[in-house]
Structures are given as structure tokens and as C-alpha cells.
Amino acid sequence: MNITLRKANALQNSINDAVKNTKIELTVELNEFQNIEDVLSRANNMLVENDGKRQKLTMALYNIRALVGTANTASGIDTALAKAAFIDKRIGQLEELAKAAEITAIDVIKGKLEKIKSLKDEARSRIYGYGDTVTTSVLSKEQIAQAKIEILSLKKQKQKLNDEILELNIKTEIPLSDDTAAFLQAEGLL
């Protein structure tokens, strides 16, 4: 039986949920009115049965995960995901630049520095060097605008990659063994 990568992802989530919901009771409470051997035997049988189920589910999960990994590489999804991750990282870097203030006009900077020089005699305003500097951004208005343009371009590229990845996830299939498919169908997962 073949399933798409998209279905395989949903199936992996369902299997994980089934494993989590499989109860493993390591202890049992006994009272004086119960047949100790029967209660212990039933509890032990339930534990062994549920652990066997858990083991088969886990094996199916990791078989599917391996098949998905191989299919992701063969279909180019891995490469597309790496490109998408790069785009996300670069957008984050550029957003910092796009939000920056633009550089203060050179004449304003020079004027402020001249004012600082002329205040040498007024020591009170310059205690511990406070007020001896002028702070300005280093980015021009054009550089900030260019960062914003590049962000928009990268977002378009990311959307195109996401569409390609979705298409590949729908078109690419992995083969499930007959045993795995039968087990998962019996468990109501497939």
C-alpha cells in the first residue's frame, strides 16, 4: 500500500497519539475479596498485550519516518526546506534593518558636536563624559527601503517554495509493507 507524504505525516501523529494512549499499568491494587492469582494474571496479560501493541506501533512509526526521510531526500523536499529555512532566517535579519531609523543629517551631527565642544567650560553637564557624544543610525533612507524590498521578494520566494513543498508532499508516496498496513488498519489508524 502506498500513501502520500502528507498522509504519512498525519499517520505519524496518529501513531504517536496511540502510543501515548496505550496504558501500561505496572501495579495493581488487591483486596481481600479478590482471587489474587486471577487479578495478577489478567493485569500481567494486559500489560504484555499493551506493551506488544506499543512496540508494534513504535516500529511502524519509525519505519514510516525512515521512508519519509528517504522520500524527502529523493523528491527534493529536504533541499526546499533548507532553502525555506534560509529565507526565514534572512527575513529576520533584514527586518532588523528595515525597522532602523535613518541616519541623522551630517549637518545636524556636526552642529551637535560643535555645541559639545563649545560647552567645555560648563563641567556640570559633562560629568563622567555624559553628553559628550552624538548617536545616529548608520543606514540611509535608501538602504532601509532596499531592505524592505528584499523582505517582500524573499516572502514571495518563500510562498513559492511552500507551494512546491505542498505539491511534492501530495505527489510523493511511500510504500507501507502489507503487515504494517494491516496492523495500522486493525488499530483504526489507516
Side-chain angles (χ1 to χ4, degrees):
M1 163 185 259
N2 288 347
I3 60 171
T4 66
L5 293 179
R6 190 170 182 178
K7 173 73 175 172
N9 183 52
L11 183 56
Q12 288 179 80
N13 291 334
S14 296
I15 292 171
N16 273 323
D17 290 343
V19 169
K20 288 177 191 169
N21 292 327
T22 302
K23 290 186 178 184
I24 300 296
E25 299 288 340
L26 299 173
T27 60
V28 65
E29 290 189 26
L30 300 167
N31 64 43
E32 65 217 56
F33 303 108
Q34 294 173 313
N35 181 322
I36 296 169
E37 288 82 12
D38 286 348
V39 172
L40 288 174
S41 177
R42 279 195 311 272
N44 182 270
N45 289 341
M46 181 66 75
L47 175 106
V48 170
E49 182 181 321
N50 284 349
D51 185 53
K53 176 182 172 182
R54 190 170 62 169
Q55 186 260 345
K56 287 180 181 178
L57 286 167
T58 303
M59 186 181 298
L61 174 69
Y62 284 95
N63 283 337
I64 292 168
R65 186 172 288 176
L67 291 168
V68 167
T70 301
N72 279 344
T73 301
S75 68
I77 291 174
D78 282 353
T79 302
L81 289 172
K83 288 177 184 176
F86 163 76
I87 289 172
D88 285 340
K89 185 62 111 177
R90 187 63 185 142
I91 287 172
Q93 293 167 346
L94 289 169
E95 283 177 342
E96 182 180 12
L97 302 178
K99 293 175 184 173
E102 75 179 70
I103 190 168
T104 306
I106 298 297
D107 292 341
V108 173
I109 295 171
K110 287 179 180 178
K112 288 182 177 184
L113 290 172
E114 284 300 319
K115 185 175 181 182
I116 290 170
K117 285 180 190 177
S118 69
L119 293 176
K120 276 188 174 181
D121 296 334
E122 296 179 28
R124 284 183 185 224
S125 68
R126 298 171 57 120
I127 296 175
Y128 303 113
Y130 177 77
D132 284 351
T133 61
V134 174
T135 303
T136 182
S137 173
V138 296
L139 292 171
S140 68
K141 183 178 182 178
E142 294 77 21
Q143 289 172 311
I144 294 168
Q146 183 57 40
K148 290 177 182 178
I149 290 168
E150 193 172 340
I151 288 170
L152 290 175
S153 173
L154 287 170
K155 285 182 177 180
K156 288 178 186 175
Q157 289 177 39
K158 173 80 185 291
Q159 184 58 52
K160 184 179 177 190
L161 272 172
N162 285 343
D163 292 345
E164 289 173 17
I165 291 167
L166 177 61
E167 184 178 338
L168 288 170
N169 275 321
I170 293 170
K171 287 172 38 178
T172 306
E173 294 185 339
I174 59 169
L176 292 182
S177 72
D178 292 339
D179 291 342
T180 300
F183 172 71
L184 292 175
Q185 286 172 336
E187 291 296 321
L189 298 172
L190 191 62

